[in-house]
Amino acid sequence: MYQKIRLSNGVRVVLEKIPHVKSVSLGFWVKTGSIHENLKNNGITHFIEHMLFKGTKNRTAKQIAEAIDDIGGQLNAFTSKECTCYYAKVLDAHIDIAIDVLTDMLFNSTFSPTEMEKEKSVVLEEINMYEDSPEDNVHDLLLSMVFKEHSLGMPVLGNHRTVNSFNKNMLINYIKDNYTVKNMVVSIAGNFDQEEVIRMLEEKFKDFTNENNKPEYLEDAKFITDVGFKYKDIEQLHLCIGFEGIPLGSDDYYPLLLMNTIFGGSMSSRLFQNIREDKGLAYSVFSYPSSYQQIGLFTIYAGINPSQLEEVILLIRKEINKVRKNGLSEAELLKAKEHLKGNYILGLESTSSRMLSIGKSELFLERIYSQKQVLQKIDHIKMEDVQNVIDKIFVLDKASVAVVGKVDKKIDVNSILKA
């Protein structure tokens, strides 16, 4: 059963008590990501995430790591397009240490100029690592194309120029603008004493009063149809085809997940079975939806031999036309429902996944669906709901295509896909 509590300063706390486990997972969520950046400070959200591990008024970077390592726990963080999350998983007996370390990082980080310069080198190497990964490149290229007039299209990591420009004042000002009471959610799942946890959080958050309530202004994100190539001297060609998807909170969200399961989201999916198993044309081929607050993206990916680009695009187009014309069968609909429910229930066996689920739901939707409600949403999906999503997503004339590898630009991928 989920509980939602507001601390005295207004910060939201969502909790799920699971008494039969011996662990507890905590997440400190901030509603800020690369979408809130601009061309001058792109990557600053991710850089701040790194810097919170580099020392506080009370702990060095090594002591932060040792505090959790010494109790056998896990400490980490991630930055996405729309949020940042700092999280820990520990034995239930050590929840006080996890709360102390995470709040120390959030409220007492020093942003030492020396540590900043060292961390710039670390992040630049992370950018280089992504540049050396063509599979990551092609997804980033697609995003930069379809949202090229919006901050949603900018990379989470930033680039060499922006990262090198960061200074302590930039980081502190960005935190003042975005690490606010209304932008923060604490999510906790596992075995804990609720009264004691709230008491500890009240103590740690008592001086956090950043109520910077300037209105958040983000331009509406619009999907742009385009074709993009990036030449790399590699053996494999990486292909992404993107369609405008479904935003977070939409009634079409679960029908979309169900459709994707059958189309390209599993090993028994149509794309996988046709292109990999039957034709042997790709090692990796799949589709997946990405949902943001304003807009969504539906992506089809394939890693292939450059000589087979045209054939694979034709096969993908054939599968799209087939699902547009005929939809799903009743057997596929039932199978996809069981697949979704199975994945959902299995995911709930981890306190980490429960913490992530309730934290993200509260941060973006300001509500949390119970397990029963989620299963009912899946069970209640009708064939017409799925067909409606298929008709919305698969508009070939509005598809965008990104290709990374030894690109033969004589091949008109646009015409092949949309003919």
Side-chain angles (χ1 to χ4, degrees):
M1 186 67 184
Y2 307 111
Q3 297 288 328
K4 178 177 173 179
I5 294 168
R6 280 192 185 269
L7 299 180
S8 300
N9 67 345
V11 168
R12 290 167 285 164
V13 182
V14 287
L15 311 102
E16 183 181 8
K17 187 172 175 65
I18 312 168
H20 61 270
V21 299
K22 295 295 291 180
S23 69
V24 61
S25 294
L26 304 89
F28 289 69
W29 296 76
V30 189
K31 194 177 178 183
T32 185
S34 57
I35 195 173
H36 301 98
E37 300 168 356
N38 55 53
L39 293 174
K40 290 183 179 180
N41 69 1
N42 180 213
I44 195 169
T45 318
H46 172 257
F47 191 74
I48 288 170
E49 175 223 306
H50 273 238
M51 286 305 302
L52 261 59
F53 287 83
K54 303 308 292 181
T56 71
K57 296 173 185 175
N58 306 305
R59 293 178 174 90
T60 64
K62 184 179 180 184
Q63 288 170 333
I64 289 172
E66 286 177 342
I68 302 298
D69 281 350
D70 289 353
I71 57 173
Q74 302 162 9
L75 178 69
N76 213 330
F78 64 83
T79 305
S80 70
K81 294 285 184 183
E82 296 183 306
C83 72
T84 309
C85 180
Y86 304 88
Y87 60 95
K89 182 176 183 178
V90 295
L91 293 177
D92 52 8
H94 298 310
I95 188 171
D96 56 331
I97 297 174
I99 290 175
D100 186 53
V101 171
L102 285 167
T103 53
D104 190 27
M105 291 165 56
L106 276 170
F107 304 137
N108 299 313
S109 286
T110 55
F111 303 109
S112 156
T114 302
E115 292 296 331
M116 280 187 66
E117 289 308 309
K118 287 194 289 186
E119 206 58 26
K120 283 180 184 181
S121 296
V122 172
V123 173
L124 292 175
E125 285 307 311
E126 189 177 358
I127 292 171
N128 291 338
M129 180 181 72
Y130 271 80
E131 276 298 313
D132 286 342
S133 171
E135 184 172 349
D136 291 324
N137 271 189
V138 74
H139 294 282
D140 281 347
L141 177 60
L142 180 68
L143 277 164
S144 69
M145 287 162 40
V146 299
F147 301 127
K148 64 184 171 186
E149 295 178 3
H150 194 274
S151 55
L152 197 55
M154 297 192 300
V156 170
L157 300 182
N159 56 62
H160 283 249
R161 176 186 58 79
T162 56
V163 170
N164 278 317
S165 75
F166 297 153
N167 58 56
K168 185 173 180 177
N169 284 339
M170 288 176 69
L171 270 58
I172 290 173
N173 288 333
Y174 188 85
I175 286 172
K176 284 180 181 177
D177 286 344
N178 296 282
Y179 280 54
T180 64
V181 167
K182 70 173 184 178
N183 276 355
M184 197 169 290
V185 167
V186 181
S187 62
I188 304 175
N191 191 22
F192 55 85
D193 182 314
Q194 182 169 312
E195 286 188 10
E196 182 63 15
V197 165
I198 296 302
R199 185 196 64 76
M200 287 188 282
L201 289 174
E202 286 282 11
E203 175 64 26
K204 297 297 184 183
F205 277 79
K206 66 182 179 183
D207 295 324
F208 178 60
T209 56
N210 184 8
E211 300 250 6
N212 189 341
N213 288 324
K214 71 175 187 180
E216 178 186 71
Y217 175 73
L218 286 174
E219 290 184 5
D220 290 340
K222 296 177 182 177
F223 185 92
I224 296 171
T225 301
D226 201 357
V227 176
F229 301 99
K230 187 172 186 177
Y231 186 88
K232 276 189 174 289
D233 189 10
I234 51 178
E235 293 303 312
Q236 202 174 35
L237 201 67
H238 298 267
L239 166 71
C240 270
I241 301 172
F243 300 86
E244 184 172 346
I246 303 298
L248 277 175
S250 168
D251 291 339
D252 290 326
Y253 181 71
Y254 285 100
L256 171 65
L257 293 181
L258 194 150
M259 182 276 288
N260 180 62
T261 298
I262 298 301
F263 182 78
S266 65
M267 289 181 66
S268 61
S269 69
R270 295 182 181 187
L271 278 184
F272 191 91
Q273 287 298 312
N274 187 2
I275 294 174
R276 173 172 162 155
E277 298 297 277
D278 293 346
K279 305 292 193 303
L281 294 176
Y283 173 73
S284 182
V285 56
F286 56 85
S287 64
Y288 66 95
S290 306
S291 292
Y292 308 104
Q293 283 198 283
Q294 293 185 352
I295 199 169
L297 178 66
F298 186 84
T299 304
I300 300 168
Y301 166 81
I304 57 179
N305 187 295
S307 65
Q308 294 164 337
L309 176 62
E310 185 171 354
E311 184 178 1
V312 169
I313 292 176
L314 285 170
L315 287 170
I316 291 171
R317 189 185 79 189
K318 182 179 178 181
E319 288 300 334
I320 290 171
N321 285 331
K322 184 178 176 182
V323 79
R324 277 179 56 83
K325 182 179 179 181
N326 302 321
L328 306 185
S329 68
E330 287 292 343
E332 286 177 320
L333 184 71
L334 292 173
K335 183 181 86 168
K337 286 183 178 182
E338 293 306 309
H339 177 94
L340 280 184
K341 290 190 291 185
N343 275 359
Y344 173 68
I345 294 296
L346 289 173
L348 294 178
E349 295 188 356
S350 158
T351 59
S352 299
S353 62
R354 292 204 195 192
M355 176 276 292
L356 292 168
S357 176
I358 63 176
K360 185 177 180 180
S361 291
E362 178 59 33
L363 191 71
F364 291 116
L365 303 177
E366 298 187 5
R367 67 165 298 173
I368 299 167
Y369 291 107
S370 68
Q371 297 170 32
K372 182 179 179 180
Q373 287 173 313
V374 171
L375 294 175
Q376 284 177 341
K377 278 180 174 289
I378 295 170
D379 278 330
H380 291 166
I381 296 170
K382 298 182 177 66
M383 192 68 82
E384 52 261 40
D385 300 326
V386 179
Q387 190 61 52
N388 180 49
V389 164
I390 290 170
D391 293 339
K392 282 183 179 179
I393 298 291
F394 291 128
V395 183
L396 285 170
D397 287 343
K398 295 182 179 179
S400 284
V401 184
V403 185
V404 172
K406 291 180 182 176
V407 180
D408 182 356
K409 293 188 178 180
K410 294 176 184 176
I411 298 177
D412 188 349
V413 296
N414 208 25
S415 296
I416 297 167
L417 180 66
K418 301 174 183 180

